[in-house]
Amino acid sequence: MLLAFSNLLAFWPLTYLALGVALGIIVGSIPGLTASMLIALSLPLTFYMSSVDAMTLLIGMYVGGISGGLIAATLLRMPGTPASIMTTFDGFPMAQQGKGERALALGIAASIIGGLISWVFLAVLSPPLANLALRFGPWEYFTMVLMALVMLASLSQGSLVKGLIAACLGMLLAMPGIDPSIGQLRLTFGWDKLTGGLALLPVLIGTFAISQILKDVIAIDQRLAQVQVMRRAVAIKARDLVTHGPNLLRSSVIGTWVGLLPGIGGNIAAMLAYATAKSVSKEPEKFGKGHEAGVVAAETANNASIGGALIPLITMGIPGSVVEAILIGALIIHNLQPGPLLFVTNPEIAYGVIASYLVANIFMALMMLAAVGWISRLMYLPRAYLLTAILFFCVIGTFALNNRFFDVWVMLAFGVVGFALEYCKVPLGPFVIGFVLAPIAEEQLRAGMMSSEGDFLALFGRPFAATFFVISILTLCWPLYQEWRQRRRASAEVTT
Amino acid sequence: MNKLLLGSLLAGAALALGAMPAPAEAFPDKPIRVIVGFAPGGRTDTVARLLAAKIEEKGLLPQPLVIVNMPGGGGAVGAQEVLDAEPDGHTIIHWHHQLLIAKAMEIIEAGPDDFTSIGFAGGGSPVWSVRGDLGLDTLDDVVQKLKAEPGSLVEVIGIGTIPHFVGALLAKEAGFETRKVQAASGSDRLKMIAGGNADISLFAASEYEGWKTAGQGLEAVVFFGPNRIDNLPDVPTATELGYDVVWANPNWWLAPTGTPQENIDILAAALEEAFQDEEIKAWFAENALDHYWTPGPQAHEESVELLGRLQEVAAEIR
Amino acid sequence: MEGSRREPLADILFAVTVLALAGIVWWGTASLPPPRYEPLGSAALPRALALAMALLGLVLLGRAWAGRRLQAAPASDLGFRPRPWLAAGVLAVLVLYVASMDLRLLGFVPASILALVLIGAMLTGFDRRRLPWLAGFVVVLVIAVQLLFTRVFYIDLP
């Protein structure tokens, strides 16, 4: 391990790491361009580097990209990267209330703390954690995602009915295309372009960024209260660490754990941490309206998920997400097969990943603190420049994702959908959460049913799955009960 | 629907304005798009990138090959893009026999007849592996256990993909039945086995080599190549064990039907020469892949024949 | 349900759209084969969702209908003039922009410069003094991105 650090302290690895983090932050903070896109596009460049340099560059981009997303999410309500969806829910209201600086400070602090805590797990507990995570079978995935889904379905201000409709709508829009379980083509209505379904990025960019731009254009004459982000004010106080301590720790653990589970990544980590923070909070009604704990939970968890995701990558050679799959590709091109043997055959790579993750987090914190004032000022460029540039990045980013114009059309269509939903006062949160979580829930439920030969009750034979399921049912019934009680009370008041 | 209307109006305008024939220039006169129907990082993507880099390094074509990743539907999204493109050789696809399986399962309309084969640039065969702690060391053990207690072992497959078909071919030959569970990719299948949630799965030989010590370990019981390979000298082939199941999944280069034959020939020549390079040979050996070049017409013929057999299997397992 | 009382018409429209969508999805799942490998099959979840949406849509419709006679809340003074037509215009330019590239009428650079300068000009209210600056900004942005994507990342731009 020490050797790995000393290897890393050479000129080129550190340079690549710093470059990666910087590029990641820049790309992450531009709505429309994401970390995974940057990494996919950079893969060919890594052919010509040594395997250590390639790896440090990619890990730097990964850490920087996930962290950079919080700035646009907070100041513009446009998630810079899918992992920062949850940050928009409280970060943007905070900014509107004039507490943007505070939201950014908390977000950055939460990012670095989440990163460091998950690094400890990565460095110390990798093999046992990886083994434990692998024990999670289809039923555990299904019930865990179900739990997040029901906890977040109530994530709306105003009408519960509208929130639920939004969640159903989001889930439904994830259905068309090739059914992930059995390869059956469904709900494409004979339209070839829909074979691959609706991709996450265009839907997300459309619903959040494009619809927000349309709203901003309508309100172009409005004078905005600017958030002047001073570097000094971005610091947080020791008291904050105490106030948010339990949340930071819990969200780091949740983030690391979700990252560990192959196939689900930063955005789901943030969703689960946010849902948990909300349900253990004494003031759950404040979430979604600019509550500090919401920003902290989301930003801690999405960064912690990276450390988590690196665990199965280096111990088993199993990618936790698209980004890890690309990392594995970069190693394979250099004739390195990631897996348990990597520690034996190429320890400099295996420990190098661990060491670079720590250094990348430190670089990320330093660069974010140094650059946040500057980047925030960019967000307050004259609207004509800013909105034009963001529209451009949304179009090109969505296109470059899969080189398809279909995705760009999807993005524009969802811009209108998102706008219309907000006009009808239908919350976007449950909509996008349903869209992200439904495919995983369905695939895992059906895999579970297949392995138990159609017996749903098999779920109760598995302790984790059973617990998650019971929590889900309770969470589902609670708001319905509350609404019923409130209504009864209200009608009692009217009659008296 | 306004969008469609607008689209057709614009298309009409485009036709009216400039449908002039382009002057004949030497092919290729612009970068060649190589569609890979998967996210970056897998075998199909890596082989395409290696050959593209080699072609550029040796200057075998005047224009570069640009790898374009279009993941979705096991490659079906990328295939659609190629079929929609101008058939002039500037858009080609690097895929494998999932095309045949998708056709046999009727996931996509297109089949080998909608493409012109440029060639097979080598390929690889998979191994069937069981979880290490089960105490089943040979295929014979597995078959006997499954015959004694049908469905007692959980096989993790991806429905409508290669593991599903190869497993079904063997099950049909040997007359056994497994319980099935679904997982999307190779690493998802490994995850299920290493976590004790499944017992058997199919892996590429190189995957098996990297993963054989993961979790409780993996035991390769049968290799589906025509012959044993040096990377796995102790794993018998299915043919050796008396089962007529051979699966060699090629790196299949295809162009849409209607591409001029002389352009196909130019591409095939460049690809074959890059493919015969010593560095590429070494990479194939290292990654447990077979290094052979099959010319286009022969590749097409073999594929059509295989499709017929797959359609028989598909009729049973659909 | 404060929201549904203030905007009864929007709610009624939304509920009707939701019901229609549920119907379309139900119809779309009719042609799917019965479950084969596990008891749920491809159609189960879309159908369940369509059903749930239809039920929720009916609830919403009922509530909005009941509240339709209530006066819409008077528009509060926003302190600025909303410009819905400007947004529609920007959207239209975007659609033309993407269409022109998708149909290969224009290359990436000319299409982007044209569309972005037009959008920028619309947003500044066609202020002549700011136009040169805006055009310069757009040209630099587009060329920089074009170079980055084609030279560094080998992305094939239209």
Side-chain angles (χ1 to χ4, degrees):
Chain A
M1 182 79 107
L2 279 176
L3 189 71
F5 274 102
S6 60
N7 273 341
L8 201 64
L9 288 175
F11 177 70
W12 282 113
L14 278 184
T15 310
Y16 278 122
L17 198 58
L19 184 71
V21 174
L23 285 174
I25 292 178
I26 294 170
V27 166
S29 59
I30 299 175
L33 307 182
T34 66
S36 49
M37 193 178 84
L38 174 69
I39 292 171
L41 293 181
S42 310
L43 178 66
L45 303 180
T46 64
F47 281 18
Y48 307 104
M49 302 178 185
S50 80
S51 50
V52 173
D53 291 350
M55 188 194 60
T56 52
L57 179 75
L58 295 177
I59 289 184
M61 287 175 169
Y62 193 10
V63 172
I66 297 267
S67 312
L70 74 96
I71 304 176
T74 304
L75 297 180
L76 300 176
R77 207 206 62 163
M78 300 178 193
T81 196
S84 49
I85 309 171
M86 300 307 289
T87 313
T88 60
F89 295 158
D90 285 288
F92 184 65
M94 278 182 78
Q96 281 184 317
Q97 295 155 16
K99 293 187 285 187
E101 230 170 25
R102 174 81 180 143
L104 291 176
L106 282 171
I108 297 173
S111 297
I112 175 74
I113 291 172
L116 291 180
I117 294 183
S118 78
W119 180 79
V120 174
F121 284 114
L122 171 67
V124 180
L125 284 173
S126 271
L129 275 179
N131 277 323
L132 190 64
L134 290 179
R135 301 233 153 250
F136 258 48
W139 288 117
E140 283 82 8
Y141 272 79
F142 165 65
T143 48
M144 196 178 73
V145 170
L146 183 73
M147 188 170 73
L149 197 57
V150 294
M151 279 176 170
L152 291 169
S154 57
L155 183 80
S156 52
Q157 298 121 47
S159 167
L160 178 67
V161 173
K162 284 186 180 173
L164 290 176
I165 292 181
C168 288
L169 201 60
M171 291 197 264
L172 209 52
L173 287 166
M175 298 290 116
I178 292 180
D179 162 3
S181 297
I182 62 170
Q184 171 72 44
L185 209 53
R186 66 178 172 189
L187 294 177
T188 58
F189 302 98
W191 197 19
D192 287 337
K193 299 271 184 203
L194 259 180
T195 305
L198 302 170
L200 172 64
L201 190 73
V203 171
L204 196 67
I205 298 293
T207 0
F208 283 89
I210 299 291
S211 78
Q212 182 66 33
I213 291 173
L214 292 178
K215 273 168 72 178
D216 288 348
V217 169
I218 289 178
I220 190 113
D221 293 339
Q222 186 181 18
R223 297 209 143 270
L224 280 181
Q226 285 204 10
V227 183
Q228 283 292 340
V229 180
M230 294 294 161
R231 201 177 302 164
R232 223 173 318 127
V234 189
I236 58 155
K237 302 189 183 68
R239 193 156 44 85
D240 293 324
L241 286 182
V242 180
T243 328
H244 291 294
N247 189 359
L248 284 167
L249 201 61
R250 182 182 57 239
S251 303
S252 298
V253 172
I254 294 175
T256 310
W257 179 252
V258 172
L260 261 169
L261 297 173
I264 53 185
N267 48 6
I268 295 180
M271 285 177 188
L272 204 64
Y274 187 97
T276 316
K278 187 181 172 212
S279 47
V280 302
S281 168
K282 292 198 188 75
E283 325 161 289
E285 72 284 352
K286 285 194 180 169
F287 279 79
K289 296 173 191 160
H291 195 38
E292 291 188 352
V295 175
V296 169
E299 281 304 317
T300 314
N302 67 20
N303 271 72
S305 76
I306 305 177
L310 291 174
I311 292 176
L313 174 80
I314 57 168
T315 52
M316 302 277 175
I318 296 179
S321 68
V322 184
V323 176
E324 270 90 19
I326 300 171
L327 264 174
I328 288 185
L331 292 178
I332 289 180
I333 283 188
H334 287 102
N335 250 329
L336 298 165
Q337 178 72 45
L341 291 174
L342 195 64
F343 278 98
V344 183
T345 52
N346 300 82
E348 79 282 4
I349 296 290
Y351 289 111
V353 169
I354 300 180
S356 347
Y357 180 57
L358 178 66
V359 181
N361 264 299
I362 296 168
F363 279 1
M364 179 273 290
L366 295 178
M367 287 184 196
M368 286 287 276
L369 288 175
V372 67
W374 190 72
I375 297 182
S376 329
R377 231 164 292 146
L378 280 184
M379 308 265 165
Y380 291 108
L381 274 175
R383 285 300 176 89
Y385 291 81
L386 178 73
L387 297 181
T388 309
I390 293 182
L391 277 175
F392 179 53
F393 284 122
C394 289
V395 169
I396 189 167
T398 311
F399 173 77
L401 173 75
N402 289 328
N403 300 287
R404 297 176 75 202
F405 270 108
F406 176 69
D407 287 339
V408 184
W409 289 119
V410 169
M411 176 192 77
L412 290 182
F414 273 85
V416 177
V417 169
F419 183 82
L421 287 178
E422 288 219 292
Y423 183 78
C424 297
K425 303 233 167 358
V426 177
L428 295 183
F431 174 79
V432 73
I433 288 162
F435 185 84
V436 171
L437 296 182
I440 301 166
E442 187 196 14
E443 190 185 345
Q444 300 295 340
L445 170 63
R446 289 168 68 187
M449 294 287 254
M450 211 164 136
S451 68
S452 70
E453 297 186 309
D455 181 11
F456 184 76
L457 298 177
L459 183 158
F460 293 100
R462 308 186 60 121
F464 279 112
T467 316
F468 292 153
F469 189 67
V470 170
I471 296 177
S472 314
I473 297 294
L474 291 179
T475 320
L476 190 63
C477 296
W478 184 244
L480 293 176
Y481 168 73
Q482 266 186 326
E483 195 177 349
W484 172 77
R485 206 178 52 172
Q486 263 177 7
R487 192 171 290 206
R488 209 177 53 160
R489 201 178 297 158
S491 61
E493 275 167 21
V494 170
T495 47
T496 49
Chain B
M1 293 305 105
N2 276 335
K3 211 169 67 189
L4 284 180
L5 181 67
L6 183 73
S8 48
L9 280 178
L10 286 173
L15 277 179
L17 278 175
M20 284 184 294
E25 275 179 54
F27 173 84
D29 56 357
K30 59 181 183 186
I32 295 162
R33 298 181 352 125
V34 179
I35 310 285
V36 170
F38 306 94
R43 177 185 113 186
T44 310
D45 179 64
T46 308
V47 169
R49 289 177 188 279
L50 284 171
L51 291 182
K54 190 54 76 184
I55 286 177
E56 207 168 343
E57 179 192 316
K58 291 190 152 185
L60 299 174
L61 285 174
Q63 295 281 347
L65 264 60
V66 179
I67 310 298
V68 179
N69 297 93
M70 289 195 171
V77 172
Q80 193 57 50
E81 173 74 14
V82 178
L83 293 174
D84 290 344
E86 187 78 17
D88 58 2
H90 287 111
T91 307
I92 60 178
I93 185 169
H94 185 226
W95 206 4
H96 51 62
H97 274 165
Q98 180 62 32
L99 166 62
L100 303 180
I101 289 181
K103 171 74 175 169
M105 292 291 281
E106 291 169 22
I107 295 170
I108 55 171
E109 292 275 311
D113 291 331
D114 296 290
F115 296 94
T116 309
S117 293
I118 303 170
F120 291 157
S125 296
V127 288
W128 222 44
S129 319
V130 295
R131 208 170 74 226
D133 59 348
L134 292 174
L136 303 168
D137 298 331
T138 64
L139 181 62
D140 210 32
D141 293 348
V142 178
V143 173
Q144 270 176 10
K145 179 164 170 67
L146 282 169
K147 278 188 172 159
E149 311 157 58
S152 59
L153 294 175
V154 179
E155 181 187 6
V156 50
I157 59 173
I159 289 174
T161 66
I162 292 167
H164 188 193
F165 267 72
V166 176
L169 286 168
L170 183 68
K172 193 175 153 198
E173 270 287 303
F176 61 76
E177 202 177 315
T178 57
R179 201 141 55 104
K180 309 261 190 315
V181 65
Q182 154 75 21
S185 67
S187 51
D188 286 331
R189 296 197 299 277
L190 170 69
K191 176 188 92 186
M192 295 286 281
I193 294 194
N197 291 306
D199 306 310
I200 312 176
S201 191
L202 190 79
F203 295 109
S206 58
E207 286 176 337
Y208 170 75
E209 278 200 290
W211 290 340
K212 61 189 167 191
T213 59
Q216 321 300 321
L218 295 176
E219 187 70 52
V221 292
V222 59
F223 178 63
F224 291 100
N227 303 298
R228 292 193 189 205
I229 49 172
D230 296 340
N231 312 63
L232 305 170
D234 304 326
V235 184
T237 65
T239 327
E240 280 174 47
L241 297 172
Y243 304 112
D244 178 25
V245 184
V246 174
W247 183 268
N249 197 22
N251 298 309
W252 195 2
W253 293 83
L254 299 154
T257 297
T259 309
Q261 189 57 44
E262 57 272 23
N263 295 3
I264 300 260
D265 293 340
I266 292 171
L267 288 171
L271 281 170
E272 187 180 356
E273 190 168 347
F275 179 68
Q276 298 298 354
D277 183 86
E278 286 306 318
E279 265 176 52
I280 301 283
K281 260 186 194 164
W283 191 88
F284 267 64
E286 185 78 30
N287 285 279
L289 295 172
D290 291 322
H291 191 271
Y292 58 86
W293 176 265
T294 309
Q298 193 189 333
H300 181 79
E301 210 171 289
E302 286 178 16
S303 303
V304 170
E305 194 195 315
L306 181 60
L307 178 62
R309 282 174 54 203
L310 292 177
Q311 274 164 335
E312 282 169 32
V313 183
E316 286 174 38
I317 64 175
R318 276 195 85 211
Chain C
M1 298 299 91
E2 184 200 10
S4 55
R5 261 178 220 161
R6 259 194 301 138
E7 306 259 344
L9 187 65
D11 273 12
I12 291 175
L13 277 178
F14 178 63
V16 170
T17 315
V18 164
L19 288 175
L21 209 66
I24 294 175
V25 169
W26 191 274
W27 171 73
T29 58
S31 56
L32 290 175
R36 167 76 179 77
Y37 303 100
E38 29 74 47
L40 290 175
S42 302
L45 184 61
R47 276 189 193 154
L49 287 172
L51 214 59
M53 280 208 343
L55 281 177
L56 290 165
L58 284 175
V59 171
L60 189 65
L61 192 62
R63 283 187 187 175
W65 193 255
R68 75 190 185 285
R69 285 185 206 292
L70 290 168
Q71 279 295 312
S76 55
D77 185 21
L78 295 167
F80 64 92
R81 194 163 52 93
R83 308 272 293 271
W85 288 108
L86 188 60
V90 168
L91 195 65
V93 174
L94 267 180
V95 168
L96 286 174
Y97 167 42
V98 179
S100 69
M101 290 194 294
D102 191 4
L103 301 168
R104 313 242 154 197
L105 296 183
L106 285 176
F108 172 73
V109 173
S112 302
I113 291 179
L114 262 175
L116 295 181
V117 170
L118 192 55
I119 289 177
M122 288 164 81
L123 295 185
T124 52
F126 294 98
D127 183 344
R128 287 229 188 102
R129 277 164 305 151
R130 289 168 72 184
L131 205 57
W133 287 104
L134 193 75
F137 168 72
V138 166
V139 169
V140 170
L141 184 72
V142 171
I143 304 274
V145 167
Q146 143 92 8
L147 287 179
L148 182 70
F149 273 75
T150 51
R151 296 292 155 79
V152 182
F153 289 140
Y154 290 107
I155 274 275
D156 185 41
L157 291 172

